[in-house]
Amino acid sequence: MRLGHAAAAVMAVCLSAGPVWADEVVKFALIDPMSGSFAATGRLGEQHFRFAMDRINESGAAGPGRKFDLVVLDNEVSPEKSLVLLRKAIDDGVHYITQGNGSSVAFALTDAIAKNNKRDPARSAMFLNYAAVDPALTNAKCNWWHFRFDADSDMKMRAMSSYILTRKDLHKVYVFNQDYSFGQSVERGAKEMLTGKRDDLQIVGAERVPLGKVKDFTPYIQKMQAAGADAVVTGNWGADLALLVKAANDSGFKGTFFTYYLGSTEVITEVGQAGRGDAQISEWHANVDSAPIEEMAAAFEAKYHQAFYYWRVVNMLDMTAAAMKQANSSDPEKVGKVLAGMNFHNPLGDVSMRADNHQLLQPMFISVLEPGVKHVFPEVNMGFRTIGRIEPDQTRMATTCSLANPS
Amino acid sequence: MEQGLLVVLNGLVYGLLLFMLSSGLTLIVGMMGVLNLAHASFYMLGAYLAYSISTVVGFWPALVLAPLAVGVIGALVERYGLRPVHRHGHVAELLFTFGLAFVIGEIVPLIWGRLPVPYRVPAVLDVPLFALAGTAYPAYRLFMMLISLAMFCALFAALAKTRLGLVVRAALTHPDMVAMLGHDVPRVFTLVFGAGCALAGLAGVIAGNAFTTEPGMARSLGAIVFAVVVMGGLGSLSGALVASLLIGLVQTVSIGLDLPFYKALSALGITVDVGGRLHDLWLLSVNRAAPVVPYLLLVLVLATRPRGLLGSRSA
């Protein structure tokens, strides 16, 4: 009882001591791994959110007197834990949920948010997805409250596979992924888009490993070598990619890695010099020619002492802020109606949020890791060089989803 | 054939690494009757300390200094943490080590950050040793193996041949009698705990740069080390060796098997009805199940031999 009084007193103090200069604080709950194998990846995301929010709060981009605030919740990449955290966030009055690591988590969240919003419209929540790229999230499992700001794995695979097909020096492709919904969709996409397209190119192996469990990938690399693979297509991220490439270096594997997530700092430090020639598909990298983002990256690096990586987090929050300003409200339903079908101009060009499945269409870049480019990772003295830009409209895929605004 | 040899080599490296971790743990369990849940945290501490030391004086001094430092920390923990708790019984001790694992798990990222640290294999050993079936075999792996074997021999000799080893072995089974004979048993406990932690630290030093040194490394190995110790028999050093090698080899071999279970079993002379109720299980390929294998082995061993492979008391 006494504890209850004390807690109430503390809360009262906190509430009264809140910032008086802001008319409205919009809270965003970031539900991502902040401990365990993928803690490094989650923390990197958190820093980008703080950075992007500071910019918006300074410029007032979300509308006069409206500030963004971040609540960080550690889900250890567990869908079950994420649901508990989501409940807590909604109970605490948070209307904006954001998550990126693990499509398995995203499925649980999108489902729970749809149910919550139906049951309790007054406490509706919006799901801003910055990195969970299973195509089903904007197809079979799509939901009006979910908006995705990263290209889905099929969009990325289409770009990646068309590049692989042009590489006449590649003949044997090994597909290697993490064993959950995202990894499975990468594997399916790679098989669909690479099989039977070129007579001298075949898939010599496909394998999946449990998420974040394997520490020594050497046996897997040896299987790739035994299969004679000269290219590896992988959607692995975080430690699962870093250790895979490290094992490849140790075993003298000569093939090229075609990745989704090579550019994050923790991976680059492991890749080392041997990563030369490995490729990545992404919405941005440090050598994409854009002065405003280069400035942003420098500011991020000065503040957090590591390389800027999630351009899409900045873009996502900028778009959300613009939508709030336009809707003149932070009510998720009103903001969502603006976001659906929204056209937005960012330093890389025009991007648009599809109204039918809430998938962002944005320019994508295929790049390879090389020495002698303008911005290099100091750890390895190499950086990414763009070898192909894919325009937003070229990434548009057919969807089974047809969302309509709630009336 | 060459491919097979590689698989065996990998299994040995992994197995010996597991042994280095579990040897310290099994000694502590055997002697003090307390399952040190923070054991894998000392492994992590070893890797981080080795990283910090190696940035100043290089890898080779770190190879000696880091395990010593971890051993000293372990001994201090036993003397000032575990010993006062000892009289409250095993549950209190267990809870103490449980808490300790969390404390170390939080202190490490506070000091070194949450990102992996760039702890590297020394340049001398960062070369391919030989090539087999088109695969380079890193010299560092052989070095890991040699260190583990040297450590096993040293430990065995110390326990079997020295006077101190005699006292330790006696204190394992008859602590009261040893105390009556005028030996300082609590000090022997501190020594064994410190030595056990130092071994875990050594494992961290040589594994931290072969894999990654990151705050999650203790958690990922913790469970498997317990599996090894229980499987080998609590307190049995040779049991821990057998169990480590078994787990290391079986897990590595199963990664390489792209066969469905029913085919793998029929190679062993067991035929199963694929169409039956367990249809999905029989068609699952063995490599997909590789991460479960250690725990499966643990359950099998416990079901048939509850005291573990070479243990003398029941778990």
Side-chain angles (χ1 to χ4, degrees), chain B:
Chain B
M1 187 57 228
E2 286 176 331
Q3 205 64 37
L5 189 61
L6 272 179
V7 171
V8 171
L9 278 175
N10 279 326
L12 278 180
V13 171
Y14 185 49
L16 285 170
L17 182 70
L18 281 181
F19 170 67
M20 216 189 293
L21 262 169
S22 47
S23 57
L25 185 60
T26 203
L27 271 185
I28 294 170
V29 177
M31 182 158 213
M32 310 170 72
V34 48
L35 201 55
N36 179 15
L37 291 172
H39 199 71
S41 307
F42 287 103
Y43 158 76
M44 173 162 76
L45 220 47
Y48 273 99
L49 284 176
Y51 161 68
S52 289
I53 296 172
S54 67
T55 52
V56 184
V57 289
F59 175 78
W60 301 105
L63 184 64
V64 180
L65 293 176
L68 284 180
V70 176
V72 169
I73 295 172
L76 289 175
V77 163
E78 200 283 336
R79 177 64 189 85
Y80 297 102
L82 212 49
R83 199 182 296 179
V85 176
H86 185 67
R87 59 197 161 88
H88 300 295
H90 284 337
V91 174
E93 286 178 311
L94 200 66
L95 288 176
F96 174 80
T97 61
F98 184 66
L100 185 65
F102 280 100
V103 170
I104 297 179
E106 287 305 319
I107 286 179
V108 162
L110 277 182
I111 300 176
W112 285 281
R114 295 209 171 250
L115 288 172
V117 294
Y119 176 33
R120 296 269 166 261
V121 171
V124 194
L125 292 172
D126 199 11
V127 289
L129 191 64
F130 55 86
L132 261 184
T135 299
Y137 197 81
Y140 193 72
R141 299 232 150 192
L142 186 75
F143 172 74
M144 286 171 79
M145 243 192 275
L146 290 178
I147 291 276
S148 320
L149 285 176
M151 185 225 73
F152 176 67
C153 295
L155 193 63
F156 203 77
L159 281 177
K161 303 284 181 206
T162 65
R163 199 179 152 71
L164 185 67
L166 205 65
V167 176
V168 169
R169 278 189 299 148
L172 270 172
T173 46
H174 301 90
D176 294 339
M177 191 62 206
V178 175
M180 297 293 183
L181 288 173
H183 296 285
D184 187 353
V185 173
R187 214 188 63 188
V188 174
F189 278 10
T190 308
L191 189 77
V192 169
F193 197 91
C197 292
L199 287 179
L202 180 62
V205 176
I206 63 167
N209 51 3
F211 308 133
T212 32
T213 303
E214 44 103 13
M217 66 190 285
R219 202 182 304 191
S220 56
L221 260 180
I224 205 159
V225 171
F226 289 117
V228 169
V229 169
V230 175
M231 204 168 129
L234 294 174
S236 163
L237 205 57
S238 30
L241 181 65
V242 174
S244 311
L245 291 179
L246 194 66
I247 287 183
L249 283 172
V250 170
Q251 191 166 9
T252 317
V253 169
S254 48
I255 285 176
L257 284 181
D258 256 332
L259 302 169
F261 264 106
Y262 77 95
K263 279 196 184 154
L265 286 175
S266 70
L268 296 174
I270 309 166
T271 26
V272 290
D273 173 21
V274 179
R277 215 174 252 191
L278 295 171
H279 177 77
D280 287 341
L281 179 67
W282 301 130
L283 289 184
L284 181 76
S285 75
V286 178
N287 60 346
R288 296 273 304 281
V292 202
V293 165
Y295 307 102
L296 214 61
L297 275 176
L298 172 67
V299 173
L300 269 180
V301 168
L302 284 183
T304 50
R305 250 187 95 81
R307 72 187 73 147
L309 287 173
L310 299 175
S312 46
R313 57 178 112 166
S314 68

Side-chain angles (χ1 to χ4, degrees), chain A residues 207 216 222 225 246 269-270, chain B residues 10 120 135 211-212 287:
Chain A
E207 186 149 25
D216 182 7
Q222 285 167 358
Q225 288 173 316
K246 185 168 185 170
T269 42
E270 292 300 346
Chain B
N10 279 326
R120 296 269 166 261
T135 299
F211 308 133
T212 32
N287 60 346

Side-chain angles (χ1 to χ4, degrees), chain A residues 364-405:
Chain A
M364 299 293 293
F365 299 88
I366 294 182
S367 53
V368 290
L369 197 59
E370 276 184 3
V373 289
K374 185 176 173 195
H375 294 284
V376 295
F377 297 96
E379 299 88 351
V380 296
N381 210 17
M382 289 192 287
F384 287 106
R385 182 174 65 84
T386 305
I387 50 173
R389 171 179 165 131
I390 300 111
E391 291 309 321
D393 219 42
Q394 289 171 278
T395 66
R396 184 189 293 271
M397 306 278 284
T399 180
T400 59
C401 180
S402 57
L403 294 170
N405 284 347

